[in-house]
Amino acid sequence: MAECVGTLAWPLRGQFRQYKRGSKLYNVQLDESGMTVTSDGEKQVVKVTDLVGCQCQQEQQQQGNSAYFTLLAYPLTGGRKRTRLALCFEVASKNTFKENLAVANAWRRAVYHAVRNHGTTKPQVDHSKKILLFINPNSGSGRALQTYRKQVSTLLAEAEVSHEVLVTERASHATDVVRTLDLTQYAGLVILSGDGLLYEVYNGLLARPDWNEAIQFPIGIIPGGSGNGLARSLAHWLREPYRANPVLVSTLNVVYGHLSPLDLVMTETAKGKRILSFLSIGFGLLSDIDIESERLRIIGESRFAVWAVARCANLRRYRATISFKRAVGAPVPAPLASSPMLQRSQTLQEGEGLPSTNARHLSHSHSMQLQESKKGEEEEACLDILPSLVKVEDGALEPVPEKAQEAQECEEQQQQDGAKSEVLLPGLDEPVPDDWETIEDEFVMVYCSQQTHITSDVLIAPQATPDDGYLWLMMLRRSCPKTTIAKLLLGLDGRHLRYPGVEMVAVEALRIVPGTSKGYLTVDGEVIPWTPIQSHVLHKRGRIMTR
Ligand SMILES: Nc1ncnc2c1ncn2[C@@H]1O[C@H](COP(=O)(O)OP(=O)(O)OP(=O)(O)O)[C@@H](O)[C@H]1O
């Protein structure tokens, strides 16, 4: 049914020629489902969930009065990767260029309206504000800045997502910034890095006096480190083709900025310190590999596999007491119905899948404003596939209409309502409650994951979802057969839950009391003191940007 969105007629219909495709006329319609282009019985549909934006253009050497609008989308091709699609239409029905440009611009606005209002019922970031993008130039193999220049900035520009970049200069820089940041200035915080930088951001939010609200601030993640467990897990959950282009599918989450609930975990240490995490807690084999392979950081995510082989020859066991509150109603841990083949570790490839045309030059300054949609700045930018057209900027996009915002607030309320109440923990020096279970043993490994993956290649908890309310606790005791350990070191791909000696249980809270003199206790891959800790899930308390 036709409706009016601001000054736009909706759905939008028109008849246009396609740029450089002869005089054939195409009927174009934009509605809630996306863009439909028909001509001579042929039909092309671009789903609204694949659209990212629309740019208005004019010819470089303007000859007539025509204006152009180019629809940009990243549809799935062959179901295995997302590929850039640009459809350019000529607007020539009016007498002057100005009038034709006004029509082109109406289409541009309508496309953004469709992208932000249709295809999902999730709440979304405030698109009228900019995003603060943290980049760790030293994460992984040190290519995060190149990834930004060659892929991320291009895509954000196409989608008119304005953002400010902060290049971190040292460990704890992100924590220090976030601790005192005026969050009202931003739509969200996005991390282009490994999981370690997001851990810093969350713990900066936790250190604020308003931490209870601050930890709900919208967060986005784009993989740029050697451990990209959250980005990989989100793609797995959303059934996105991560391997073909991890940066593309993750940046698209930021572009859409729809907000999905994310479980966070609060950990309390024996020294009274509180830590907030989103990925994992553990000690033993996996933690040792993560920490001790640091020296191989230069080789990217393959460092984990290489070090795992080295550690196989020298297996350590740790005495500990593990207590946990078993989650009632959680699914029984099981392998995937059909487990994926173990694939080679993958590091980021520059320029993968995206053109490098609009990449901005970064100065060495640690903080800079890159208002990608600022008037004037992009007038020189041209789309790579249409070199004879130049972009015309014609006004900022309208904010989401009030009605949609009301619906969004209602949706946010519903999401919070669905959250489970928190488990009340006793003091760390007090006994655990009666409904907890306790195991005292020697362990090869104890590892709790909140997500399916803890790196791109390690699928540890096949049934995990970002907001299921569980920690998936995996234990290998002393009695675990060597063949199981050997198979685990060859790869954790979901099938391990069938191996003898692998125990997994979904829990809502746990306590770890180390019984040996030293070891690495890790939270989200970061080492914390080797002392007793206890943790519980803050169900749906974080909000993560997704498609
Ligand atoms: N400019 C910088 N130089 C050195 N270290 C930094 C810088 N900026 C941030 N860091 C630190 O680097 C740590 C690791 O970063 P990140 O997780 O992003 O990369 P990574 O390669 O995935 O590492 P890991 O998987 O080991 O955590 C962060 O926890 C942060 O303390």
Side-chain angles (χ1 to χ4, degrees):
M1 194 203 298
E3 61 169 306
C4 218
V5 180
T7 54
L8 303 175
W10 185 259
L12 219 54
R13 294 189 186 91
Q15 210 175 41
F16 309 103
R17 282 192 292 268
Q18 279 198 49
Y19 183 64
K20 294 212 162 158
R21 290 189 60 181
S23 56
K24 191 162 152 185
L25 282 169
Y26 294 82
N27 292 311
V28 185
Q29 173 166 316
L30 183 66
D31 58 27
E32 290 80 3
S33 63
M35 180 85 91
T36 309
V37 182
T38 47
S39 180
D40 296 341
E42 281 175 33
K43 185 170 165 183
Q44 184 175 16
V45 179
V46 183
K47 287 197 284 187
V48 72
T49 46
D50 295 335
L51 285 173
V52 297
C54 183
Q55 295 186 355
C56 294
Q57 290 138 310
Q58 67 184 98
E59 278 171 301
Q60 214 154 28
Q61 267 102 41
Q62 186 83 20
Q63 285 161 1
N65 291 327
S66 297
Y68 299 84
F69 67 92
T70 298
L71 177 83
L72 299 162
Y74 287 84
L76 282 169
T77 47
R80 285 198 295 203
K81 64 175 188 173
R82 291 197 172 270
T83 312
R84 188 172 184 269
L85 172 72
L87 290 175
C88 180
F89 298 100
E90 180 184 2
V91 185
S93 56
K94 307 285 182 193
N95 293 330
T96 64
F97 169 70
K98 208 172 157 201
E99 287 172 295
N100 284 325
L101 182 60
V103 174
N105 203 38
W107 279 83
R108 166 179 160 255
R109 286 165 193 267
V111 167
Y112 283 100
H113 176 77
V115 169
R116 289 167 188 182
N117 290 281
H118 302 297
T120 181
T121 55
K122 290 176 186 167
Q124 51 191 301
V125 298
D126 180 350
H127 291 285
S128 67
K129 293 181 182 172
K130 64 190 175 228
I131 272 164
L132 180 57
L133 175 61
F134 289 87
I135 305 177
N136 175 1
N138 291 330
S139 68
S141 46
R143 293 200 291 195
L145 273 176
Q146 281 161 286
T147 301
Y148 171 74
R149 289 193 197 107
K150 299 201 168 184
Q151 298 193 70
V152 177
S153 69
T154 310
L155 189 46
L156 295 183
E158 286 180 349
E160 302 195 21
V161 175
S162 76
H163 62 284
E164 186 180 319
V165 171
L166 192 149
V167 180
T168 56
E169 293 171 331
R170 55 180 166 78
S172 301
H173 187 180
T175 308
D176 294 344
V177 169
V178 166
R179 193 180 284 145
T180 54
L181 190 69
D182 179 2
L183 296 176
T184 62
Q185 298 300 307
Y186 300 98
L189 306 176
V190 175
I191 285 80
L192 168 44
S193 182
D195 294 313
L197 198 66
L198 180 53
Y199 173 82
E200 284 201 352
V201 164
Y202 264 125
N203 285 287
L205 293 172
L206 182 65
R208 297 167 63 102
D210 62 348
W211 69 270
N212 215 358
E213 292 80 43
I215 61 172
Q216 298 170 37
F217 201 64
I219 296 291
I221 184 127
I222 303 171
S226 52
N228 302 305
L230 182 59
R232 178 71 186 91
S233 300
L234 288 175
H236 181 84
W237 179 60
L238 295 164
R239 298 175 183 273
E240 281 292 300
Y242 183 85
R243 286 186 177 281
N245 194 334
V247 172
L248 172 63
V249 298
S250 305
T251 309
L252 284 172
N253 286 337
V254 175
V255 161
Y256 292 109
H258 301 148
L259 294 174
S260 298
L262 177 73
D263 291 343
L264 299 172
V265 166
M266 185 73 86
T267 294
E268 179 194 334
T269 72
K271 293 193 171 145
K273 195 180 169 206
R274 292 188 318 160
I275 299 167
L276 198 60
S277 63
F278 53 90
L279 190 66
S280 63
I281 298 168
F283 69 86
L285 193 59
L286 277 183
S287 301
D288 293 352
I289 291 168
D290 188 8
I291 301 310
E292 291 171 352
S293 67
E294 273 284 312
R295 64 199 78 177
L296 302 178
R297 160 180 297 276
I298 193 72
I299 64 172
E301 288 204 58
S302 350
R303 72 180 167 99
F304 301 114
V306 171
W307 204 257
V309 174
R311 273 301 314 275
C312 193
N314 171 29
L315 210 56
R316 297 175 201 149
R317 292 177 184 87
Y318 300 87
R319 176 151 287 283
T321 306
I322 310 297
S323 306
F324 53 86
K325 177 174 168 50
R326 195 180 282 264
V328 180
V332 177
L336 292 173
S338 67
S339 297
M341 290 301 291
L342 199 61
Q343 289 177 39
R344 190 172 54 83
S345 179
Q346 192 177 36
T347 48
L348 303 173
Q349 297 298 314
E350 290 165 22
E352 237 181 3
L354 271 167
S356 58
T357 46
N358 286 359
R360 306 269 167 222
H361 182 72
L362 282 178
S363 77
H364 291 293
S365 146
H366 77 276
S367 175
M368 62 214 110
Q369 293 266 120
L370 295 182
Q371 297 283 351
E372 295 292 350
S373 58
K374 222 158 61 180
K375 189 167 170 65
E377 225 180 77
E378 284 184 337
E379 281 173 2
E380 306 139 25
C382 70
L383 291 169
D384 59 321
I385 54 162
L386 310 166
S388 52
L389 294 183
V390 287
K391 185 176 174 192
V392 185
E393 192 60 59
D394 194 17
L397 296 163
E398 288 144 13
V400 178
E402 248 174 55
K403 227 173 144 189
Q405 266 167 6
E406 270 171 31
Q408 180 172 327
E409 278 158 23
C410 174
E411 176 70 26
E412 278 171 31
Q413 191 56 46
Q414 279 168 3
Q415 278 190 358
Q416 280 167 9
D417 288 348
K420 293 179 219 165
S421 52
E422 278 173 37
V423 176
L424 292 174
L425 298 183
L428 249 176
D429 50 354
E430 292 170 346
V432 293
D434 290 344
D435 60 344
W436 287 37
E437 295 163 50
T438 295
I439 300 172
E440 202 182 333
D441 208 334
E442 277 186 37
F443 298 89
V444 172
M445 179 181 101
V446 171
Y447 210 87
C448 265
S449 179
Q450 283 166 256
Q451 310 295 337
T452 46
H453 294 72
I454 52 165
T455 72
S456 292
D457 286 332
V458 176
L459 195 175
I460 196 161
Q463 288 140 302
T465 65
D467 66 342
D468 56 14
Y470 311 132
L471 277 161
W472 294 83
L473 169 63
M474 178 168 155
M475 291 173 286
L476 300 188
R477 302 198 211 187
R478 182 189 182 90
S479 53
C480 179
K482 286 220 165 62
T483 48
T484 290
I485 293 162
K487 280 201 273 186
L488 287 181
L489 289 172
L490 284 175
L492 275 148
D493 60 0
R495 284 176 285 192
H496 55 278
L497 297 179
R498 284 200 204 102
Y499 301 162
V502 175
E503 295 170 66
M504 185 175 267
V505 51
V507 308
E508 290 174 12
L510 90 156
R511 180 182 286 181
I512 296 174
V513 180
T516 49
S517 60
K518 58 180 182 186
Y520 295 116
L521 194 52
T522 58
V523 177
D524 288 358
E526 305 298 319
V527 182
I528 65 163
W530 181 248
T531 62
I533 59 162
Q534 59 185 13
S535 311
H536 69 288
V537 179
L538 305 182
H539 188 215
K540 298 188 177 188
R541 287 291 291 288
R543 291 193 300 166
I544 190 85
M545 295 180 203
T546 56
R547 30 184 325 109

